[in-house]
Amino acid sequence: MMSVEKKAHAASGWAMLLVVVAGYIVSLLLLVMSFINLIMWDEWYRPGPSPFPLMLLGFVLLVATSIARRGFFTLQPGQARVCVLFGKYVGTVRDDGLKWANPFYAKSLGRSSAAGATTTEAAGAAVHRHDSKISVRARTYTGERIKVNDKMGNPIEIATVIVWHVADTAKALFDVDDYESYVEMITETALRHVASLYSYDHMEDDDTNANSITLRTNIEEVSETLKAELDRKLEVAGVEVDDARLTHLAYAQEIAQAMLRRQQAEAIIAARKKIVEGAVSMVDMALSQLSEGGVVEFDDDRKAVMASNLMVVLCGDSEAQPVVNTGTLYQ
């Protein structure tokens, strides 16, 4: 059964501080008076009430006040205290300031360090203690670069950073062994899973692949998928993810050079395609305007020659050298 956070009540620490101070003063007065009566009673042997009940009352009040003093604690904004009484979860105090609660609430909680260990190893494992106060502020976790395979099977390097906070203190402390280590482990596994769902980049320039989500071109969509995956898996630990972003994305070193050459080839092809499309439109415009203006009468052969010359000039890598023809187009 999963734990659920409950709200615990804590009294004002300032009011209880006055009570504790008054308790110390009264207990000391009772002890002093009882010792004076004891000396007088022993010295003069006067019959009268025994001073021992007064002395016992002073000791009892002093012990009770000392125990009550252990109930004070302070909380800063963004902190909460989990109240556990003799192993039973009572509730969580989230109000900041000086507070007083049951002095028998546990100050620290045990946590085994043998998570995932065998029975033999767990038998001798130490039990670590941590304070019952827990931070509910936003935290960041920057993951290390890991190598995974994308949807196409290409090895890539990827890393992420997440912003998270503890939303349910009961789940964080009681449903998992160490919620901070749990966040780190789940972040890595979720990142590996999300990276395997998408390709690094479009491998082919077709309509089907062009509309698909990739790691490189759809950062927002990938981040949303990663955040949803983390929220689902970290719910058991009472942790909510505020944001998740990729901090590093690259091909693995063993294929980086090959993929770089592929990208360069695609860029050259795209540039050439754009140049050819522009050149064709310019040739068509030139021939049309020359014919419509009556400057030159073109037959099919002359159009072919003119188009060929213009395409060479417009698509060439080097600057064209002008040649003045003093004859006809065929000379």
Side-chain angles (χ1 to χ4, degrees):
M1 182 177 179
M2 297 180 62
S3 303
V4 179
E5 181 179 315
K6 298 181 294 185
K7 184 177 181 180
H9 174 71
S12 173
W14 298 106
M16 288 302 301
L17 181 62
L18 296 177
V19 174
V20 169
V21 172
Y24 275 121
I25 294 174
V26 173
S27 62
L28 291 177
L29 289 176
L30 291 176
L31 290 175
V32 170
M33 291 175 60
S34 63
F35 277 113
I36 293 175
N37 291 338
L38 179 61
I39 294 173
M40 299 274 305
W41 187 65
D42 288 338
E43 182 178 356
W44 302 104
Y45 299 98
R46 295 178 180 179
S50 174
F52 291 106
L54 191 63
M55 184 181 300
L56 179 61
L57 180 60
F59 274 115
V60 171
L61 183 58
L62 180 62
V63 172
T65 304
S66 299
I67 294 175
R69 182 179 60 86
R70 298 181 66 252
F72 289 103
F73 64 93
T74 58
L75 289 178
Q76 300 177 4
Q79 282 186 329
R81 184 188 177 185
V82 178
C83 300
V84 177
L85 182 62
F86 303 123
K88 182 180 179 181
Y89 172 64
V90 177
T92 301
V93 179
R94 287 180 175 261
D95 300 329
D96 55 348
L98 180 62
K99 299 295 178 180
W100 185 90
N102 192 329
F104 293 101
Y105 286 156
K107 299 292 184 181
S108 60
L109 305 176
R111 182 178 64 193
S112 174
S113 63
T118 62
T119 305
T120 305
E121 294 172 343
V127 176
H128 297 283
R129 314 292 297 186
H130 62 90
D131 194 75
S132 58
K133 294 181 182 179
I134 181 173
S135 174
V136 293
R137 303 184 182 103
R139 315 185 197 185
T140 58
Y141 170 68
T142 303
E144 297 181 355
R145 296 182 184 180
I146 58 175
K147 184 183 294 186
V148 297
N149 292 331
D150 66 356
K151 184 178 180 180
M152 304 298 295
N154 298 317
I156 62 174
E157 292 180 352
I158 192 170
T160 185
V161 59
I162 67 171
V163 181
W164 61 278
H165 70 276
V166 175
D168 192 307
T169 57
K171 291 181 180 180
L173 291 182
F174 304 127
D175 288 357
V176 294
D177 185 67
D178 186 349
Y179 67 92
E180 293 179 344
S181 299
Y182 188 79
V183 169
E184 297 177 5
M185 179 191 67
I186 292 300
T187 299
E188 180 176 343
T189 57
L191 182 60
R192 290 182 180 275
H193 174 68
V194 171
S196 66
L197 297 178
Y198 306 107
S199 301
Y200 179 91
D201 201 356
H202 300 297
M203 297 299 294
E204 297 178 358
D205 190 14
D206 55 25
D207 295 338
T208 303
N209 197 41
N211 296 327
S212 63
I213 297 177
T214 64
L215 297 173
R216 187 179 68 87
T217 58
N218 302 95
I219 299 297
E220 293 295 332
E221 290 80 356
V222 174
S223 298
E224 289 296 327
T225 303
L226 178 61
K227 181 179 180 299
E229 181 77 7
L230 289 171
D231 280 331
R232 183 177 62 85
K233 291 188 175 181
L234 292 177
E235 183 182 2
V236 66
V239 171
E240 289 186 1
V241 178
D242 300 322
D243 195 13
R245 296 287 172 178
L246 299 182
T247 58
H248 176 76
L249 181 64
Y251 282 111
Q253 294 183 357
E254 54 266 29
I255 66 168
Q257 292 299 324
M259 290 300 177
L260 178 60
R261 288 194 295 270
R262 183 185 69 84
Q263 291 176 355
Q264 291 174 344
E266 290 180 349
I268 293 174
I269 292 173
R272 290 292 184 182
K273 182 179 179 181
K274 198 69 175 178
I275 292 173
V276 170
E277 291 177 353
V280 170
S281 63
M282 292 176 67
V283 169
D284 181 67
M285 178 183 64
L287 294 176
S288 299
Q289 292 184 359
L290 288 173
S291 299
E292 293 175 358
V295 178
V296 180
E297 294 294 334
F298 289 108
D299 56 15
D300 291 339
D301 292 336
R302 290 182 177 182
K303 287 183 179 179
V305 173
M306 179 64 73
S308 176
N309 293 336
L310 289 175
M311 290 294 294
V312 171
V313 172
L314 294 174
C315 296
D317 291 332
S318 59
E319 295 183 0
Q321 299 294 330
V323 176
V324 178
N325 189 358
T326 58
T328 66
L329 291 176
Y330 299 101
Q331 293 179 350

